[in-house]
Amino acid sequence: MIFETIEDFAPTLSPMTALGGLDLGSKTIGVAVSDSFRQVSTPLETIRRKKFSADAARLLEIITDRQLGGIVLGLPRNMDGSEGPRCQSTRAFARNLEKLTDVPITFWDERLSTVAAERALLEADTSRKRRAEVIDHVAAGYILQGVLDRMRHLG
């Protein structure tokens, strides 16, 4: 099922299951995972996009291997909060993924996640080549950490 809010998503999660965070780009999908206590997000990998079936097959492998209890997709809103074509594409991806798994899916406003990831990598003195390799899954880590932090403050 797809949930619009973290407040609706959180109660559907099985206890002690990790979450996955996705940063969908046109060429890549950044993937991050949490620990089963849902405290810390860790960047995992960047999937080079091919076609949906191949991308989904790799994501389903990760969901199974890591026993993920939920998926968070970064929603690339415009800076004014409106939704453009990239949001529509992300929502379509979620609808297609929903047909292949029972794992609950939600969205998280990803504005500035890539900027934050880039800044962290620059501060860590990461080379330009290495930044290009890891930026997507580091951004996914920021998206997922935002959700983990939010869920800790739900009553």
Side-chain angles (χ1 to χ4, degrees), residues 63-136:
I63 289 168
T64 303
D65 293 350
R66 301 265 174 175
Q67 300 175 334
L68 299 182
I71 295 291
V72 177
L73 282 156
L75 197 60
R77 293 182 185 275
N78 296 321
M79 290 314 282
D80 66 1
S82 64
E83 293 192 11
R86 290 186 57 225
C87 282
Q88 293 167 0
S89 167
T90 299
R91 290 183 182 283
F93 186 93
R95 286 191 299 273
N96 289 328
L97 188 61
E98 177 188 34
K99 295 172 188 162
L100 304 175
T101 181
D102 292 332
V103 171
I105 299 169
T106 193
F107 303 102
W108 185 253
D109 185 343
E110 72 161 44
R111 280 179 284 186
L112 303 179
S113 62
T114 303
V115 173
E118 180 86 20
R119 185 171 297 135
L121 291 167
L122 283 168
E123 286 173 8
D125 205 24
T126 311
S127 72
R128 178 177 285 133
K129 180 179 186 292
R130 183 71 180 138
R131 281 198 313 270
E133 292 168 359
V134 302
I135 190 73
D136 297 309

Side-chain angles (χ1 to χ4, degrees), residues 41-53:
S41 167
T42 304
L44 182 66
E45 71 178 74
T46 297
I47 299 169
R48 294 262 162 239
R49 293 192 75 172
K50 296 177 179 93
K51 55 182 194 221
F52 177 78
S53 57

